């Protein structure tokens, strides 16, 4: 198949492009390089089935493809809050443009949505049936509401135009190739621990997240895309739940240091807890994550140590 991956030069997108190439597909990677990097897909440049296009999804584009993974959107709070209006445009106009393409060429399209559609959840763990608790005008809204509207567009194009849509609600994902300074908790803690600095825990550190290794997530995305008739959202994440204090301890210990923690203010609207109910993914896709946090962190730490040139 010929497959388009928007945001393909980013963290998850580059792993997805690599996997799709290895599976024998033609891959068009489209990216505006806001948070993505050419280096993430360098290893694919020599492959004749791989093509890289610099393009912004808020502008229309004409391509002939069989499947579209719409991942274009900054995912880290510091990046999506840098230009919040652009974040909304990327989610909404990007979804409209990609859905227009899917409709025109009859491609199947998968939207990368997020656990952030649940906001600061009052139901725990979060099943897909939960409508969420999002502050629609807070500093996270550009991302959360942008993704919620992208989901609305997917469902409406499906109901109105019979577009073959998929919605993946992705929970916190980590792994090799995360950008050192992208501000997410796993990359922050690893860089700090490797450099022997204090680990910055926001708030009390009692808030929880559930972390999925990127290879598991990519497998889930591919299974969802290639399962017929699943138009409603599907959670993809690892149900293992950890407090940020536990995560700091785990990363410090894997880096061989004593955890020194510096407490910093909790950002506005930071969700207190998050854990996916993955019953639907398990039942419909036969999917569940395989890589435990410790093993995924070991791989990620090794990758960071190599890139930062720090012996481990
Ligand atoms: P990332 O920032 O590494 O990747 C996003 C990619 O999209 C980058 O390559 C960036 O340059 C590109 N991009 C941004 N705006 C664009 C635009 N207007 N036009 C074209 N390209 C654009 O983030 P990621 O972690 O790889 O996330 C990928 C997708 O998965 C995003 O849609 C994100 O919302 C979603 N997601 C990620 C996580 C996670 O934990 N990483 C969790 C939930 C959802
Ligand atoms: N966090 C932290 N220290 C950091 C970066 C983040 O304690 O250096 C916290 C953050 O407040 C949140 C959690 O870690 O509670 C996850 O943050 P991240 O930005 O990685 O993801 P998201 O909040 O979008 O789930």
């Amino acid at each position: 198949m010929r497959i388009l991956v928007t945001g393909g030069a980013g963290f998850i997108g580059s792993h997805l492009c690599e996997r799709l190439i290895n599976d024998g597909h033609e891959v068009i990677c489209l990216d505006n390089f806001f948070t993505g990097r050419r280096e993430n897909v360098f290893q694919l440049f020599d492959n004749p089935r791989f093509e890289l296009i610099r393009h912004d999804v808020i502008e229309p584009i004409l391509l002939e493809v069989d499947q579209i993974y719409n991942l274009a959107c900054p995912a880290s709070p510091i990046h999506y809050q840098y230009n919040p209006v652009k974040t909304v445009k990327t989610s909404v106009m990007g979804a409209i443009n990609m859905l227009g393409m899917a409709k025109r060429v009859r491609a199947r399209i998968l939207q990368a949505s997020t656990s952030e559609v649940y906001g600061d959840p009052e139901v725990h763990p979060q099943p897909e049936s939960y409508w969420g608790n999002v502050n629609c005008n807070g500093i996270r809204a550009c991302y959360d509401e942008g993704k919620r509207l992208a989901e609305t567009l997917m469902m409406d194009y499906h109901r109105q135009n019979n577009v073959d849509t998929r919605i993946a609600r992705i929970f916190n994902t980590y792994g090799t190739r995360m950008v050192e300074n992208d501000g997410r908790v796993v990359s922050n803690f690893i860089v700090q621990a490797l450099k022997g600095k204090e680990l910055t825990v926001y708030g009390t550190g009692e808030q929880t997240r559930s972390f999925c290794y990127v290879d598991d997530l990519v497998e889930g995305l591919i299974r969802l895309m290639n399962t017929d008739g699943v138009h409603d959202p599907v959670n993809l994440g690892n149900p293992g739940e950890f407090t940020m204090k536990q995560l700091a301890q785990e990363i410090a210990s894997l880096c061989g240091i004593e955890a020194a923690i510096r407490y910093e203010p909790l950002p506005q609207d930071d969700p207190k807890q998050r854990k996916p109910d993955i019953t639907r993914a398990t039942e419909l896709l036969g999917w569940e994550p395989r890589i435990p946090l410790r093993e995924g962190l070991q791989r990620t730490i090794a990758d960071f140590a190599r890139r930062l040139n720090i012996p481990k």
Side-chain angles (χ1 to χ4, degrees):
M1 279 188 281
R2 185 179 300 152
I3 303 178
L4 172 64
V5 181
T6 78
F11 160 54
I12 296 174
S14 62
H15 283 276
L16 178 61
C17 287
E18 197 167 17
R19 167 72 192 272
L20 293 170
I21 285 283
N22 288 339
D23 287 350
H25 299 291
E26 267 181 58
V27 173
I28 301 176
C29 168
L30 182 156
D31 209 292
N32 73 348
F33 301 116
F34 174 45
T35 50
R37 306 187 285 195
R38 286 163 60 84
E39 295 92 299
N40 285 343
V41 285
F42 260 163
Q43 73 285 7
L44 303 175
F45 278 12
D46 289 339
N47 193 304
R49 287 183 281 108
F50 181 76
E51 195 179 338
L52 177 61
I53 301 177
R54 178 189 286 264
H55 180 79
D56 196 305
V57 288
I58 74 169
E59 304 293 343
I61 185 168
L62 294 177
L63 295 168
E64 314 298 320
V65 294
D66 303 299
Q67 292 187 339
I68 303 166
Y69 288 87
N70 190 29
L71 270 57
C73 185
S76 167
I78 56 166
H79 289 134
Y80 70 65
Q81 288 163 10
Y82 172 75
N83 184 344
V85 174
K86 176 68 194 260
T87 301
V88 175
K89 286 186 185 172
T90 294
S91 276
V92 176
M93 294 161 75
I96 291 174
N97 286 327
M98 293 307 122
L99 279 159
M101 183 194 299
K103 182 179 159 193
R104 183 176 61 83
V105 302
R106 295 184 204 286
R108 188 176 280 190
I109 179 168
L110 180 149
Q111 173 65 40
S113 184
T114 171
S115 52
E116 301 286 341
V117 299
Y118 302 121
D120 192 2
E122 289 162 329
V123 171
H124 194 73
Q126 294 80 52
E128 291 86 348
S129 55
Y130 177 48
W131 289 358
N133 177 35
V134 174
N135 173 1
C136 69
N137 49 38
I139 56 170
R140 294 174 83 99
C142 59
Y143 183 74
D144 304 5
E145 296 291 358
K147 291 288 188 180
R148 285 167 71 96
L149 198 50
E151 288 199 11
T152 308
L153 287 161
M154 290 286 139
M155 294 308 292
D156 283 336
Y157 268 78
H158 172 63
R159 287 185 286 246
Q160 192 177 330
N161 301 110
N162 210 21
V163 176
D164 195 4
T165 53
R166 302 286 182 279
I167 298 170
R169 287 191 181 151
I170 303 170
F171 283 64
N172 295 59
T173 303
Y174 71 101
T176 59
R177 289 197 202 125
M178 290 183 95
V179 178
E180 304 86 73
N181 58 357
D182 91 348
R184 283 183 269 195
V185 67
V186 172
S187 42
N188 273 6
F189 285 176
I190 291 180
V191 171
Q192 289 159 350
L194 285 173
K195 292 186 172 170
K197 294 186 177 161
E198 292 172 315
L199 276 60
T200 52
V201 170
Y202 302 162
T204 61
E206 294 301 329
Q207 70 273 34
T208 66
R209 292 292 185 276
S210 302
F211 298 98
C212 186
Y213 191 68
V214 64
D215 291 358
D216 282 333
L217 194 265
V218 164
E219 175 66 30
L221 291 175
I222 290 175
R223 284 196 193 201
L224 175 57
M225 176 66 106
N226 294 294
T227 303
D228 287 335
V230 186
H231 305 295
D232 290 329
V234 177
N235 286 341
L236 294 178
N238 191 322
E241 184 184 10
F242 300 88
T243 67
M244 294 311 101
K245 270 205 290 212
Q246 287 172 326
L247 181 72
Q249 295 291 351
E250 184 74 11
I251 290 178
S253 119
L254 289 171
C255 289
I257 62 160
E258 199 66 45
I261 290 178
R262 190 173 76 237
Y263 288 93
E264 295 194 355
L266 189 69
Q268 189 196 325
D269 294 339
D270 199 280
K272 285 184 275 305
Q273 52 180 358
R274 190 184 285 153
K275 170 185 165 112
D277 177 335
I278 58 164
T279 311
R280 188 179 283 178
T282 311
E283 285 177 4
L284 295 179
L285 317 179
W287 176 86
E288 61 183 355
R290 303 196 170 280
I291 300 165
L293 184 67
R294 176 167 289 228
E295 187 184 333
L297 285 177
Q298 279 166 336
R299 294 189 200 181
T300 312
I301 290 166
D303 176 60
F304 271 89
R306 186 184 50 74
R307 282 189 282 148
L308 296 171
N309 211 7
I310 296 173
K312 230 217 103 235

